[in-house]
Amino acid sequence: MPVVINGRNQIANKPSNEGRETFTAVNPRTKQTTPYAFFNAITTEIDQAVRAATDAFAQSRHFSAHKLAEFLDQVAAEIENLGDQLLHTADEETGLGIPRLTGERGRTTGQLRKFGELLREGSYVDAIIDTAQPDRQPLPRSSIRRQLFPLGPVAVFSASNFPFAFSVAGGDTASAFAAGCPVVVKAHPCHPATSELFAHAINRAIEQLDFPAGFFSLIQGNTIEVGQTLVTHPGIAAVGFTGSLRAGRAIYDAAAARPIPIPVFAEMGSVNPVILLPNAVAERGDNLAAGLVQSLTLGSGQFCTNPGLVLMVKSPETDAFIKNVAEKMNAQSPGVLLNGSIEQGLANAVATTVKRPFIQTHTGGEVVAGDSFCYANTVLQTSAAAFCNDPLLQEEHFGPVTLFVVADSMGELETAVHALHGNLTATIHAAESDLNAAQTLLMDLKETVGRLIWNGFPTGVEVSHAMQHGGPYPATTAPATTSVGMTAIKRFMRPVAFQDVPDALLPPALQDANPLNIWRIVDGDWSKQRI
Amino acid sequence: MPVVINGRNQIANKPSNEGRETFTAVNPRTKQTTPYAFFNAITTEIDQAVRAATDAFAQSRHFSAHKLAEFLDQVAAEIENLGDQLLHTADEETGLGIPRLTGERGRTTGQLRKFGELLREGSYVDAIIDTAQPDRQPLPRSSIRRQLFPLGPVAVFSASNFPFAFSVAGGDTASAFAAGCPVVVKAHPCHPATSELFAHAINRAIEQLDFPAGFFSLIQGNTIEVGQTLVTHPGIAAVGFTGSLRAGRAIYDAAAARPIPIPVFAEMGSVNPVILLPNAVAERGDNLAAGLVQSLTLGSGQFCTNPGLVLMVKSPETDAFIKNVAEKMNAQSPGVLLNGSIEQGLANAVATTVKRPFIQTHTGGEVVAGDSFCYANTVLQTSAAAFCNDPLLQEEHFGPVTLFVVADSMGELETAVHALHGNLTATIHAAESDLNAAQTLLMDLKETVGRLIWNGFPTGVEVSHAMQHGGPYPATTAPATTSVGMTAIKRFMRPVAFQDVPDALLPPALQDANPLNIWRIVDGDWSKQRI
């Protein structure tokens, strides 16, 4: 039975429309508004949501990892229970297409279940135990035992480009829930009905498992004020955000200016440099061109890991390669963009770039007029010298656009690598005979990115233990953390040490008997043994 | 042979006095200036220091853990080589006394060597490996391998109250060096000669082990501008700070407002609530009073973990206990304070508090006139009701001062606990018969502190694997981290993931053979095995 979209905020499992302002979403394939109106949340509603989250936290901070794992599994099941309605609603609001959305749904439910596995294994609390040394001279040593605990209510800002995996029940929410933190989601205004469906699924899981209603709320809104009110609410302990540099920085600034500042884990823009070394191009240029175009046009180029910058060394092969990529880009029909503001933003960004000196446009560079939001697949080129002199050329073109940077020599390419700003990823394509050059580049690129990819493409971010989806500013505001992968949970936890606390009063993870059977660092060594 | 104090900044192992302004330190026992003049660093000198640090980082980011461990050991040895000159210079500048300074020196060298042990063990890089699954359906899984790497040049702001352990070669510097990060220290202007001696020791270690000169610089200065210039320099990647809330917040704000914001790990004020449960007071009130007074007067009360707030339940025993503490405080000669600004700050803070309604002064509450900076050992009292209504009563009195908060009932005491702001520590003293009440309090206190102490006192912070010396704002600006203990190193590191990178190009910690023989998480389980 399909869910009836009511267009309201969902505050602690109750629909709420105290405000008067509404907004609508637009189908990017038709530029027509979708049939529902959504209520902008007002301050009192945001306050209710955060207060309910605070109340919920008084309970959820005591929940066992197993209880939280069951909840994550239930949320995954309830998302699946939304069935085709979810796919069609999201497709109508995003134009991403059913196959892609089906894949993204699997990723989203898979991610929730992976966090469930992490919780059941249990070692994620980072238990560290220094046993007492009562006979130590000159002073005895106390027993000190430390583990991570949940931080408190988390505000999550949804992304437009991943309506499932980085939205209402996406990575930020999944990792915050896994940590034991209640979540207040600010839905992305371009897919509000999709967001409401996810809220329905999460609320069903809350009912099924008798979780406190305030463990989750959904706030709708298409104004900056809604987000700012949420971030500056004293009850919010941390923020997860995926979106543009401008919006992410505004939220970071608001959080830093609070009387009690809070961390903002914002994943923002990235151009994801790809370096194609000469022998790799010579050996398998055609495969590389096909792979690059596929990565560039995935989701109409609207991936945070889109390869927006390609660095090469000047040669006839390089010229031929760029021509080949331009032809392939030109031959592929450009996809639908998520919304009018992305179309406009992309048009402005490319227009700014092509006005800079020494920029050549191989193909594209214009909005595609028609029923849909659409921008031509675009290939630009500049020299390494121009690139190094112009920081503006490192700004993101969010869409199916890449900028080739051609160096006169390997030395000049290395100079360009040194000039790179922070990015989520960097990629090197190399042949066996490029290994020496590659090693130096790899270690230099390491300084400015979160993930280094070898002979692959940056799009497609595995949800796994070792994944690092982050990087130095402006890629993120918190380069020591990741928004994808299992360590994402650490963003929403904080260590507390217990000194000489009797075993019976310690949390299970720190008790002598190790009743959770987890890995712990005991007196400096890893162990699952009891003490 | 004693070191000749030259009063200059020490920039990449070269004395520098490009500026014209100088300042002097004051002996707090005599209020007389000490014999040396020190040059305020000017902008060009700070720039030189950070540029040298950046150059040094290009080398040090490749240094092995063993090489860094040798360096830490050498710094410890060179500190010991300073001999009595260090103790006497520091005593003259701080008035802390030779016995305390001797102990603090041992703690400081011990801390450096403990980080050396951590590096030699090697697992601190948090290696996580997800092996490739080429046959996975629908898509193969890449090999993803992630570890921590050093962040870059770190600025360290020394504390006044620990001229060794939280100063030039203290915990922040030791953990940044251990991570592989160059350090630019802003010396505390109250012990500039002590700071110069430490710079000498570190520079000797740099020479002995042929480290790059820019791995360390010392900036002197008694103006706010010196610190602000350092924090806003684009070459600085992170900041460690120990000091007051006002200064820490100013640095945090400056760092957050940079074009590229950087993390500030500021450890600031704390009142460290101590809860004395009724049966503990009945059983061992006299021991508790003696222990409390000892903790309160340690280092003239100038510890970040000084127990500045004591919560009790009203009873005749409680009245007698407070009277006992007041008598003991009164009977003990007040110690010398570090400097005039601490004396003045303490006088202002206590004056502000005693002007609030419902405050009773049992003893002290005034500056002790004389040759030395000195403030009377002070005991204040208020009611839990007044405490809950007045956030100002949670502000720190930095010195030998404590405020008793007396609740009418256990319920009111719990309410007061709920009203507590962020603190470094909280302590519970309980008898066997108090355990039930204690358990609830312990779990509530956990939400607002970094360390919970059972039947002990908060002063004395063990340098160990599990230590958490941190806590929610205003105790620190980064509650997820610690400034004491082995995990302090993580503040200055950042993860990078390697995707499908050939084994020969991977850093040793991530190679199949596990040549460093470290603990790693491989496909979700801890192991030292090769893959």
Side-chain angles (χ1 to χ4, degrees), chain B residues 223-254:
Chain B
T223 68
I224 290 168
E225 288 69 33
V226 170
Q228 294 278 325
T229 303
L230 181 57
V231 168
T232 53
H233 194 292
I236 292 295
V239 179
F241 169 93
T242 311
S244 72
L245 175 57
R246 206 177 55 169
R249 181 67 193 242
I251 285 168
Y252 174 88
D253 287 344

Side-chain angles (χ1 to χ4, degrees), chain A residues 214-456:
Chain A
F215 198 60
F216 171 77
S217 288
L218 182 79
I219 295 294
Q220 300 274 16
N222 71 343
T223 68
I224 289 168
E225 288 70 33
V226 169
Q228 293 279 325
T229 304
L230 180 57
V231 168
T232 54
H233 194 293
I236 292 295
V239 179
F241 169 92
T242 310
S244 72
L245 175 59
R246 206 176 55 170
R249 181 68 194 242
I251 284 168
Y252 175 88
D253 288 343
R258 289 166 46 122
I260 295 181
I262 55 171
V264 172
F265 304 102
E267 193 262 82
M268 307 180 294
S270 197
V271 295
N272 303 295
V274 173
I275 294 166
L276 304 177
L277 290 177
N279 296 322
V281 177
E283 267 183 20
R284 47 193 157 89
D286 216 50
N287 277 349
L288 281 180
L292 181 63
V293 170
Q294 190 185 29
S295 181
L296 269 171
T297 53
L298 208 63
S300 309
Q302 302 163 114
F303 272 48
C304 0
T305 51
N306 193 52
L309 196 66
V310 183
L311 293 96
M312 302 180 75
V313 178
K314 192 173 191 166
S315 75
E317 290 79 15
T318 292
D319 290 343
F321 180 86
I322 297 173
K323 192 158 169 269
N324 187 359
V325 168
E327 279 165 9
K328 284 185 160 70
M329 286 285 274
N330 188 44
Q332 186 156 328
S333 317
V336 177
L337 294 176
L338 289 158
N339 55 59
S341 111
I342 284 180
E343 187 190 82
Q344 188 58 51
L346 181 55
N348 293 345
V350 175
T352 303
T353 297
V354 298
K355 269 188 221 140
R356 313 298 296 173
F358 312 111
I359 300 287
Q360 182 185 353
T361 304
H362 285 283
T363 186
E366 58 195 6
V367 166
V368 178
D371 288 344
S372 307
F373 298 118
C374 186
Y375 195 87
N377 294 331
T378 298
V379 176
L380 310 174
Q381 183 178 336
T382 191
S383 68
F387 180 78
C388 290
N389 287 329
D390 193 349
L392 274 179
L393 295 181
Q394 298 202 41
E395 294 200 356
E396 189 181 19
H397 307 103
F398 191 74
V401 179
T402 199
L403 170 63
F404 279 91
V405 173
V406 179
D408 283 342
S409 63
M410 269 306 290
E412 210 187 53
L413 187 139
E414 282 167 17
T415 306
V417 163
H418 282 121
L420 286 170
H421 300 167
N423 275 290
L424 293 168
T425 72
T427 300
I428 295 180
H429 281 273
E432 281 292 325
S433 44
D434 290 317
L435 283 193
N436 276 343
Q439 183 148 32
T440 310
L441 288 169
L442 203 63
M443 289 303 118
D444 284 346
L445 286 167
K446 175 169 76 60
E447 297 305 318
T448 56
V449 305
R451 179 166 54 112
L452 289 161
I453 297 132
W454 184 263
N455 287 347

Side-chain angles (χ1 to χ4, degrees), chain B residues 55-114:
Chain B
D55 290 347
F57 185 58
Q59 293 179 54
S60 70
R61 65 193 173 94
H62 300 297
F63 288 173
S64 71
H66 282 264
K67 183 167 177 148
L68 292 165
E70 268 182 62
F71 177 74
L72 295 173
D73 285 351
Q74 190 67 35
V75 172
E78 297 292 350
I79 291 169
E80 285 159 355
N81 286 343
L82 293 169
D84 288 350
Q85 187 185 8
L86 179 66
L87 299 175
H88 290 124
T89 305
D91 187 44
E92 197 180 16
E93 291 186 325
T94 65
L96 287 171
I98 300 296
R100 145 73 192 267
L101 289 167
T102 305
E104 191 180 330
R105 181 177 61 182
R107 178 201 172 90
T108 306
T109 53
Q111 182 163 257
L112 286 157
R113 292 185 172 114
K114 274 208 134 188

